[in-house]
Amino acid sequence: MKKAIFPLLLTTLFCAFTPNKSPLRGIWEYRGGLFNGKQDTVSTSYKLQRTYDDLHYQAKVIEKGQKTFIYEKGDYRLQSDTCFETQIYCNQPSKLLGKTVKYSYKISNDTLKLLTTLPNGNKIEDHWVKVK
């Protein structure tokens, strides 16, 4: 009996210390926002999506009739209501490559809002809707 209980106890112990899954986990689609206080609209010719796992993100462009491509990848970590993102790949020249950007984030229903002031002084508020 003791031999049967030990593996169960060990499994329960490991499960108790499994880290929580990130609330960002999933696929999010860009739905506009604000850029320096001005409305930033969504393109009708393509979609921007971000996929988050528990530690990383990737951003891609989806355009009908074109091959979907990843334009950005990075690592992130959450602390309270703050998201720290570090860009590790960008398909265009980027001043953010290797730098960590601090975002305030808020999730309400299926909408993620990311707010920050970029190192160049631009203020952004991005709105993303969870699609999966």
Side-chain angles (χ1 to χ4, degrees):
M1 181 74 167
K2 288 182 183 178
K3 288 183 180 181
I5 292 175
F6 182 72
L8 181 61
L9 184 61
L10 194 58
T11 302
T12 304
L13 183 63
F14 281 125
C15 289
F17 291 104
T18 301
N20 292 332
K21 289 190 179 197
S22 169
L24 299 186
R25 188 175 185 80
I27 300 173
W28 302 81
E29 195 166 281
Y30 184 68
R31 294 294 166 87
L34 299 173
F35 182 80
N36 289 329
K38 295 180 182 175
Q39 191 71 39
D40 187 24
T41 59
V42 177
S43 173
T44 56
S45 61
Y46 61 87
K47 295 178 186 179
L48 299 177
Q49 285 187 346
R50 278 184 161 227
T51 302
Y52 288 89
D53 65 19
D54 291 329
L55 301 171
H56 315 284
Y57 72 92
Q58 69 176 13
K60 58 188 172 183
V61 175
I62 301 169
E63 188 173 5
K64 189 173 182 176
Q66 300 294 320
K67 184 179 177 184
T68 297
F69 73 93
I70 296 170
Y71 67 89
E72 181 182 359
K73 290 182 185 182
D75 303 323
Y76 79 97
R77 68 182 171 83
L78 301 179
Q79 184 177 15
S80 189
D81 64 349
T82 305
C83 178
F84 298 91
E85 287 190 355
T86 305
Q87 185 185 76
I88 60 171
Y89 164 81
C90 188
N91 75 326
Q92 299 177 5
S94 173
K95 292 184 178 184
L96 297 178
L97 196 62
K99 295 188 176 155
T100 300
V101 176
K102 178 181 172 182
Y103 291 89
S104 295
Y105 83 95
K106 181 178 181 180
I107 298 174
S108 178
N109 297 321
D110 64 348
T111 301
L112 165 65
K113 291 183 182 180
L114 294 170
L115 300 93
T116 195
T117 300
L118 295 172
N120 65 4
N122 288 326
K123 294 182 180 187
I124 62 166
E125 178 179 319
D126 287 343
H127 300 179
W128 300 84
V129 172
K130 193 165 195 175
V131 293
K132 187 173 179 186

